[in-house]
């Protein structure tokens, strides 16, 4: 069979499609259906022409139908696509109903099936009856291509979500059930299958990916179903032939001629059906598979290979030959791992059946090298399946793989990727350990070195030594654990090989082999006790099953009972060998120590302690001494009854070592005598033993600090102390300090936290700034765990009630000074952590847990939190916005966990979150240009969060977080008009058509949020110049009446030319991050320059003046001469000066009134009255605030400010730029300056 040419890597939508199909694929004699591109997927059809009928003699609608579709289980007017997509009905019932409809009106039912495939591709078009009758396939597919939605590349097979993931299975199941139910009659009517195969073949050749992908999947599943039908026919033919031969071989008298004729007729019918099925399969194979197995899309290629593997497995007589196997072999060289993986899994199904091995011999010899090379595939999943395939090949025949092929797999047992290593371990086990010595029946079971596992364990040791990766024994054990756990847990055989003498004729283990065996034995004990892979192969924490826990307990009991007896003689035998002893001493760490008592093994415990003591006295190697120390630490567990016995032995050993060290030190430091090398060695060896034990044991009672200090001080004075003695003395002193710090009381945590924050700040990335790159090795960035601990400390020690602060009480709860002092300490802690956020030492998103406390702890920490928000916004506006919305999301989650999903939006918790969102919104100011990207990103994250979790009540109910849109609407006023349109378009991507029609109370957040995005468009017409013009829009006082919005809007509209709205709205379709601003073109009238030319400090409320308002605006004005223009401009300037003098007088009166009110209120204003003034003044004075912030050094963020709970207590604090009092004082000073200026004028 000749393969089709390679398709281009990219497909383009055809303009005037030049694709032509042969005449044998044309549609013929079919009713028409109208196209309605305005409807959704599988939408309702338009009205049909009067008198239009189907061929079956019934109306197109039919009784109980829509679009020719049947009523199924009470679901009326549903297209076949909708029924399959919903997946609520049994597929058998759906297919049976369709077959009934096909028998009634096969044209209409077939039209339903055709539209089903079209709609499953994501196309919104519908094939009409007129198209069906009069158009060729190529024309119909071209029309459907034009109806395809090109705005999105998604279609049902690629869409995300549980509904669409289930749809693929339902789609494939529908095709399989359809063929199975039609296999006895309908598929042979030369109408249904011809039409479907012709359609799918044409669609599979489309340049539209959705058509090609969906039709290829349908065609391959159709082929698989036909293979099952062909297999059944083949079986029936064989049975009929056998019955015929049996009947014909009977004697003439007993032979039934009628039965012979019936059998002949039946065989003939089956043969005809077989021929038809083979023709159908041949058409699909040549028309679809041959072209699509080389498709440019990897998913399509994977589908074809997966299905051909099923054909060869199901119907091996017809498909398992080189003509079909070659496609799998060729595709193993595919560039995409997904396709290569399908090739290997398809071959595994073939090699698993040993009966098929003879048919695979040629394929194996041809493609064996490629399979072996795929064990090193860059895709781990492919490598795993390649190794498993080689294992099946090895299982079927041991002669195919050469030693070189096997060795290429052997070394993968040391792979860091555990699935690859496990697969390689299984291959290794089958190759080397699958053959065991047969045991004679009735003979006693051999144990120890006489057991059948003895040679296998030796083989494991030999393999480990030959691999020359001695330090990775744990990886080898882990690789073999699943396939050879029984062998690896035969510890009795291992200890016997180490302790018992070899039998005559047996070769004893060498010293190197014994070392390797002890290391492997230790790794098996650790694996059995801990039940998790070694370091570097961990796949995260996994919950153990009950069976695994029971196996773990049984293994620990068995290993303890065995090694409690055999470990002392093993230590005695290898006490001189450092490497062997170090490994053997680690075994008690995995014991079940209760066994010493319950098993009456106390004498073996005494023997173990004696051996450990002797080893400590013999060795000075650090590894051996630390292993002895850890063993004592494991045995000295107060939970077990052996604690007292072990503790006494440990104390005796330490007493002797410390006494010996003090005696040697005294002789070593005697004045006037120069210590010799022997004395120095004795001091060093004793100090090594003490240091090794001090690492795991608290030796504070022996006062080692004084001895080491004396030793180090002498070395400093004399300068002739041996280096090794100084090193170990410093290390021992280090352990003394660590054990002392471990006993420090909890009261020092706050000081430690402050010091830690300062250290992190000193050693942050800013250390290398200013040309200090040589300090880069000292830079330290806290990891995620440390950042989490720092944040947790702040949440538990700062954001607490006054009565919960233990450090502020000491029986003085009513003492106001004590409370202020406690608040002062907490403010210092918070300021220390906020500095880490500001200097980017910790992630900015950790500030979400701080920002969400802004309202609740406003009196205590409001100034610090607001200053932190201001600084983070200067660093990164977008990340700051994401942090703010994250804090609101966290509060929303907390509210849901407390109140449940059915909470009341009028509750105090929800209103509190809305109020916090309002405060956050005010901090963005009025300059929408500067905060444009940040606000857009904030809305984007908020919308995604609102629609992230579906409703737990199922479809038709609002998403779980939909109420968050009500909170998000507080930020809508900060969006520019064109951004509002963009955000609204982004919102509609998450909405369904049904959501837009909902009007229930539970959908009010969505309604209100959409309204906030759609309303106020005209008010934002001048938003592009809001950096100056909007700052003086109102005087910040509740008692001052704002200007009428309609007048401002009208004036703004008159100032814009007609084309402004079109230019400003044209950016609504632009992306989030790349929206370009289009400044509206201003009319060249003199009165329009008043707002633009005025400085920020001169901003005032603008009221339309009757003398300055222009008449009807004209786009094309008649030019005037220069003298007339100058005269008119001078007149306008005089009128402007008169108006400004009037305004100055009015403003002076207003400021004087405000000043008097402020003086009357003094500093006793309530926060509820001050906060709006603070926010508005801060925003209107944004330019001045930015100047102050720019001149403010981060180091001036004073963390030693005296705390206060109200404004009166903070009167003596450092001036806060966000404090209402300070701003009011500044406004008073500005008023006095303005008053003096007016008097001068």
């Amino acid at each position: 069979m000749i393969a089709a040419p390679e398709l281009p890597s990219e497909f383009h939508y055809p303009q005037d499609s030049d694709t032509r199909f042969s005449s044998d694929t044309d549609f013929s004699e079919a009713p028409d259906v109208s196209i309605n591109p305005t409807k959704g997927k599988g939408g309702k059809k338009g009205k049909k022409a009067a008198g239009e009928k189907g061929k079956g003699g019934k109306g197109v609608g039919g009784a109980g139908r829509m679009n020719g579709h049947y009523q199924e289980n009470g679901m009326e007017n549903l297209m076949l696509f909708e029924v399959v997509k919903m997946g609520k009905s049994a597929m058998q019932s759906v297919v049976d109903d369709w077959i009934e409809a096909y028998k009634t009106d096969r044209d209409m039912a077939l039209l339903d099936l055709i539209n089903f495939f079209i709609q499953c591709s994501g196309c919104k078009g519908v094939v009409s009856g007129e198209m069906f009758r009069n158009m060729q396939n190529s024309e119909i597919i071209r029309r459907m291509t034009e109806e395809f939605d090109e705005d999105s590349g998604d279609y049902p097979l690629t869409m995300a979500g549980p509904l669409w993931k289930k749809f693929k299975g339902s789609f494939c199941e529908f095709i399989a059930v359809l063929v199975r139910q039609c296999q006895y009659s309908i598929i042979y009517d030369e109408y249904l299958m011809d039409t479907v195969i012709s359609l799918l073949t044409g669609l599979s050749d489309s340049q539209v990916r959705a058509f090609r992908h969906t039709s290829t999947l349908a065609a391959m599943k159709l082929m698989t179903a036909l293979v099952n039908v062909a297999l059944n026919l083949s079986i029936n033919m064989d049975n009929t032939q056998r019955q015929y031969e049996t009947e014909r071989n009977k004697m003439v008298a007993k032979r039934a001629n009628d039965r012979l004729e019936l059998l002949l007729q039946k065989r003939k019918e089956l043969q005809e059906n077989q021929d038809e099925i083979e023709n159908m399969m041949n058409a699909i194979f040549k028309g679809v598979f041959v072209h699509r197995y080389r498709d440019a899309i990897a998913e399509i290629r994977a589908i074809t290979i997966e299905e051909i593997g099923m054909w060869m497995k199901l119907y091996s007589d017809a498909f398992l030959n080189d003509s079909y196997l070659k496609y799998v072999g060729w595709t193993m060289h595919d560039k995409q791992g997904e396709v290569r993986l399908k090739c290997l899994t398809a071959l595994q199904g073939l090699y698993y059946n040993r009966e098929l091995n003879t048919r695979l011999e040629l394929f194996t010899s041809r493609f064996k090298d490629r399979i072996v090379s795929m064990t090193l595939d860059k895709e781990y999943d492919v490598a795993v399946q390649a190794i498993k395939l080689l294992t099946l090949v090895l299982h079927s025949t041991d002669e195919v793989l050469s030693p070189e092929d096997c060795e290429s797999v052997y070394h993968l047992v040391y792979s860091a990727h555990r699935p690859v290593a496990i697969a390689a371990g299984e291959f290794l086990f089958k190759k080397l350990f699958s053959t065991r010595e047969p045991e004679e029946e009735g003979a006693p079971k051999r144990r120890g070195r006489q057991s059948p596992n003895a040679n296998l364990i030796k083989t494991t040791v030999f393999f480990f030594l030959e691999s020359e990766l001695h330090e990775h024994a744990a990886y080898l054990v882990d690789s073999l654990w699943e396939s050879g756990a029984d062998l690896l847990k035969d510890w009795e055989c291992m200890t016997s090989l180490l302790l018992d003498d070899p039998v005559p004729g047996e070769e004893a283990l060498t010293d190197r082999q014994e070392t390797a065996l002890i290391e492997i034995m230790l790794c098996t004990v650790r694996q059995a006790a801990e039940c998790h892979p070694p370091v570097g192969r961990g796949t995260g924490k996994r919950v153990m099953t009950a069976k695994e826990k029971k196996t773990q307990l049984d293994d620990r009991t068995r290993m303890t009972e065995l090694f409690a007896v055999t470990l002392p003689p093993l230590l005695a035998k290898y006490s001189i060998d450092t490497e062997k002893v170090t490994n053997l001493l680690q075994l008690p760490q995995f014991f079940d120590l209760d066994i010493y008592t319950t098993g009456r093994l106390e004498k073996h415990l005494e023997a173990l302690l004696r051996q450990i003591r002797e080893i400590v006295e013999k060795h000075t190697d650090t590894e051996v001494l630390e292993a002895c120390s850890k063993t004592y630490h494991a045995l000295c567990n107060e939970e077990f009854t052996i604690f007292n016995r072990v503790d006494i032995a440990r104390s005796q050993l330490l007493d002797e070592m410390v006494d010996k060290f003090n005696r040697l030190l005294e002789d070593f430091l005697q004045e006037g005598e120069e210590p010799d090398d022997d004395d120095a060695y004795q001091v060093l060896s004793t100090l090594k033993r003490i240091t090794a034990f001090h690492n795991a044991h608290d030796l504070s009672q022996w006062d080692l600090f004084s001895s080491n200090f004396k030793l180090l001080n002498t070395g400093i004075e004399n300068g002739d102390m041996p280096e090794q003695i100084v090193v170990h003395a410093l290390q021992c002193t280090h352990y003394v300090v660590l054990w002392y710090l471990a006993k420090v009381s909890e009261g020092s945590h706050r000081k430690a936290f402050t010091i830690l924050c300062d250290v992190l700040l000193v050693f942050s990335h800013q250390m290398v700034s200013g040309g200090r790159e040589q300090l880069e090795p000292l830079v330290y960035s806290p990891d995620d765990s440390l950042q989490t601990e720092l944040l947790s400390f702040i949440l538990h020690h700062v954001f607490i009630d006054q009565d919960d602060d233990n450090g502020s009480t000491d029986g003085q709860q009513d003492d106001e000074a004590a409370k202020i002092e406690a608040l002062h300490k907490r403010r210092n802690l918070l300021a220390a952590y906020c500095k880490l956020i500001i200097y980017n030492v910790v992630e900015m998103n950790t500030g979400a847990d701080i920002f969400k406390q802004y309202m609740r702890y406003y009196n205590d920490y409001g100034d610090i939190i607001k200053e932190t928000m201001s600084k983070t916004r200067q660093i990164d506006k977008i990340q700051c916005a994401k942090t703010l919305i994250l804090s609101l999301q966290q509060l929303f989650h907390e509210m849901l966990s407390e109140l449940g999903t059915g909470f009341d939006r009028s509750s105090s918790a929800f209103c509190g979150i809305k109020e916090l969102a309002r405060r956050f919104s005010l901090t963005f100011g009025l300059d929408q240009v500067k905060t444009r990207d940040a606000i857009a990103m904030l809305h984007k994250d908020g919308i995604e969060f609102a629609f992230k979790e579906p409703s737990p009540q199922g479809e038709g109910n609002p998403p779980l977080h939909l109420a968050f849109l009500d909170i998000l609407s507080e930020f809508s006023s900060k969006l520019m008009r064109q951004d509002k349109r963009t955000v609204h378009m982004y919102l509609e991507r998450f909405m369904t058509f049904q959501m837009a029609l909902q009007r229930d109370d539970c959908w009010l957040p969505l309604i209100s949020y959409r309204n906030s995005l759609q309303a106020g468009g005209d008010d934002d017409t001048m938003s592009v110049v809001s950096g100056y013009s909007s700052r003086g829009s109102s005087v910040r006082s509740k008692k001052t009446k704002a200007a009428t919005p309609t007048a401002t809007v009208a004036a703004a509209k008159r100032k814009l030319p007609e084309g402004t709205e079109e230019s400003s709205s044209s950016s609504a379709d632009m992306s989030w991050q790349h929206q370009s601003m289009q400044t509206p073109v201003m009319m060249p009238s003199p009165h329009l320059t008043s707002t633009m030319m005025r400085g920020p400090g001169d901003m005032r409320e603008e009221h339309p003046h009757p003398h300055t308002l222009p008449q009807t605006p004209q786009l094309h004005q008649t030019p005037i001469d220069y003298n007339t223009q100058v005269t008119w401009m001078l007149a306008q300037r005089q009128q402007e000066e008169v108006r400004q003098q009037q305004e100055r007088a009015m403003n002076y009166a207003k400021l004087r009134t405000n000043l008097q009110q402020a003086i009357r209120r003094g500093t006793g204003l309530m926060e509820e009255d001050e906060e709006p003034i603070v926010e508005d003044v801060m925003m209107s004075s944004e330019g001045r605030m930015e100047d102050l912030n720019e001149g403010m050094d981060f180091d001036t963020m004073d963390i030693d400010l005296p705390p206060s709970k109200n404004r009166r207590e903070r009167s003596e604090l450092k001036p806060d730029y966000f404090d209402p009092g300070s701003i009011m004082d500044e406004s008073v000073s500005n008023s006095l300056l303005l008053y003096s200026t007016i008097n001068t004028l």
Side-chain angles (χ1 to χ4, degrees), residues 313-495:
K313 181 179 178 181
L314 292 173
Y315 198 3
S316 57
D317 292 338
F319 289 96
L320 189 55
N321 53 60
D322 297 334
S323 299
Y324 295 97
L325 281 170
K326 64 183 180 182
Y327 295 106
V328 181
W330 293 341
T331 315
M332 283 195 295
H333 296 271
D334 196 282
K335 295 181 180 180
Q336 295 297 324
E338 176 188 1
V339 183
R340 300 194 298 272
L341 185 64
K342 293 297 183 182
C343 294
L344 295 172
T345 53
L347 292 174
Q348 287 176 15
L350 302 178
Y351 280 98
Y352 184 80
N353 188 352
R354 291 191 176 184
E355 298 177 357
L356 305 178
N357 290 338
T358 57
R359 303 183 185 180
L360 294 168
E361 289 179 356
L362 181 60
F363 176 84
T364 304
S365 62
R366 171 65 178 81
F367 294 100
K368 179 198 65 174
D369 294 340
R370 173 56 184 164
I371 299 174
V372 173
S373 66
M374 292 175 74
T375 58
L376 299 176
D377 198 280
K378 63 180 181 179
E379 301 287 343
Y380 286 123
D381 294 340
V382 177
V384 170
Q385 298 305 323
I387 298 172
K388 289 183 177 181
L389 179 58
L390 290 177
T391 306
L392 291 174
V393 174
L394 183 67
H395 188 66
S396 60
T397 173
D398 195 18
E399 302 174 354
V400 176
L401 299 178
S402 64
E404 292 78 11
D405 297 334
C406 296
E407 289 176 3
S408 63
V409 182
Y410 289 161
H411 74 276
L412 294 176
V413 296
Y414 298 103
S415 172
H417 191 262
R418 193 164 190 264
V420 172
I422 294 297
E426 184 180 358
F427 180 88
L428 175 65
F429 189 81
K430 284 188 177 296
K431 180 66 177 177
L432 300 182
F433 308 132
S434 57
T435 58
R436 294 172 176 260
E437 295 181 5
E439 297 188 20
E440 299 179 2
E441 296 183 3
K445 186 176 182 180
R446 293 178 295 171
R447 306 176 68 87
R449 66 186 307 136
Q450 300 298 324
S451 69
N453 287 336
N455 290 331
L456 300 181
I457 292 175
K458 290 181 181 180
T459 304
T460 306
V461 174
F462 299 155
F463 175 80
F464 176 58
L465 292 176
E466 291 177 1
S467 63
E468 297 181 356
L469 293 170
H470 305 163
E471 68 275 13
H472 293 100
Y475 286 81
L476 174 61
V477 170
D478 182 57
S479 301
L480 294 172
W481 194 255
E482 293 188 6
S483 55
D486 294 337
L487 170 65
L488 297 176
K489 289 191 287 189
D490 193 352
W491 298 303
E492 183 178 359
C493 180
M494 295 180 186
T495 55

Side-chain angles (χ1 to χ4, degrees), residues 688-758:
K688 277 186 175 181
R689 297 185 180 98
I690 294 176
T691 302
F693 272 81
H694 207 352
N695 186 9
H697 305 270
D698 185 10
L699 307 184
S700 301
Q701 57 179 329
W702 282 277
D703 191 20
L704 293 172
F705 182 80
S706 300
S707 302
N708 285 281
F709 177 76
K710 186 187 300 184
L711 181 63
L712 293 172
N713 192 37
T714 304
I716 294 174
E717 293 176 354
N718 300 332
D720 57 353
M721 189 67 63
E723 181 181 352
Q724 288 297 319
I725 294 180
V726 174
V727 171
H728 285 86
L730 286 172
Q731 190 172 5
C732 186
T733 306
H734 170 67
Y735 292 142
V736 172
V737 174
L738 290 180
W739 280 106
Y740 174 78
L741 292 176
K743 299 177 181 179
V744 175
S745 62
E746 298 290 333
S748 61
H749 285 175
R750 292 184 177 182
K751 189 64 177 177
F753 177 83
T754 305
I755 294 174
L756 177 59
C757 290
D758 292 340

Side-chain angles (χ1 to χ4, degrees), residues 914-931:
K914 282 200 65 176
E915 177 62 19
L916 179 61
R918 187 187 71 82
R919 298 291 184 94
F920 285 168
S921 175
L922 291 175
T923 61
F924 282 97
L926 298 178
D927 193 345
Q928 295 176 329
V929 177
K930 289 184 177 181
T931 62

Side-chain angles (χ1 to χ4, degrees), residues 1075-1088:
Q1075 296 183 4
S1076 60
M1077 298 299 300
Q1078 296 185 5
T1079 306
V1081 180
M1082 307 302 294
M1083 291 290 291
S1085 301
H1087 68 275
L1088 288 178

Side-chain angles (χ1 to χ4, degrees), residues 32-97:
D32 59 18
V33 183
S34 63
I35 288 180
N36 191 351
T38 62
K39 301 295 181 183
K41 299 173 184 174
K44 298 179 181 178
K45 288 170 45 179
K47 294 183 179 180
K48 299 195 62 79
E52 185 175 344
K53 301 285 181 94
K55 277 198 166 187
K58 296 188 178 185
V60 173
R65 292 203 196 181
M66 186 66 175
N67 262 359
H69 188 40
Y70 44 86
Q71 296 183 9
E72 195 273 332
N73 290 342
M75 294 184 293
E76 300 182 8
N77 302 338
L78 286 179
M79 300 290 289
L80 185 59
F81 169 73
E82 297 292 338
V83 176
V84 174
K85 183 184 74 172
M86 292 168 60
K88 295 182 179 180
S89 303
M91 202 58 64
Q92 181 83 24
S93 176
V94 175
V95 171
D96 289 343
D97 289 342

Side-chain angles (χ1 to χ4, degrees), residues 1091-1110:
T1091 303
M1092 296 299 295
M1093 299 300 295
R1094 190 178 303 156
D1098 299 330
M1099 297 297 173
R1100 298 292 182 268
E1101 278 190 332
E1102 297 293 343
H1103 298 277
H1105 197 277
H1107 299 287
T1108 60
L1109 287 178

